[in-house]
Amino acid sequence: MSEAVLPEELRNKVREIIADVLEADADELTEESSFVGDFDADSLLVIEMYSRFERDLGIKVPQEDAPELDSLPATYAHLAKYAPEAAGV
């Protein structure tokens, strides 16, 4: 079974949303960055990310996945599972 991949355009939008929520420059977010460790993200910021993914991108992610969304790669992988346009890619 192949894993769904988030399209590059969507990855860029996700990065922008996360940077906005974390009040960071998008260039500061790297593939190795930890939202909690590097940007002091707390549970309220993670909830804000979820609501922005749903509102701005139409991607609803179950809140039980919240602890796993601490980096760009993890977030991309989780969003790809729930993104309508990533299905079947």
Side-chain angles (χ1 to χ4, degrees):
M1 174 188 271
S2 65
E3 218 173 280
V5 177
L6 210 58
E8 186 66 30
E9 182 180 335
L10 196 49
R11 290 167 66 105
N12 291 334
K13 290 178 183 176
V14 168
R15 178 186 227 117
E16 289 171 17
I17 289 170
I18 293 170
D20 188 48
V21 170
L22 296 177
E23 297 181 355
D25 189 289
D27 293 337
E28 293 179 67
L29 288 172
T30 68
E31 298 288 314
E32 294 80 31
S33 295
S34 162
F35 303 153
V36 174
D38 297 324
F39 297 97
D40 298 324
D42 60 17
S43 59
L44 293 176
L45 289 177
V46 172
I47 290 169
E48 174 65 17
M49 285 182 212
Y50 275 98
S51 66
R52 293 279 304 272
F53 296 150
E54 186 172 359
R55 185 185 73 215
D56 298 354
L57 305 175
I59 303 172
K60 183 161 178 62
V61 179
Q63 288 199 1
E64 57 268 13
D65 287 356
E68 298 180 39
L69 300 188
D70 186 43
S71 68
L72 286 173
T75 302
Y76 295 153
H78 274 77
L79 290 177
K81 289 195 294 190
Y82 302 105
E85 59 271 7
V89 173

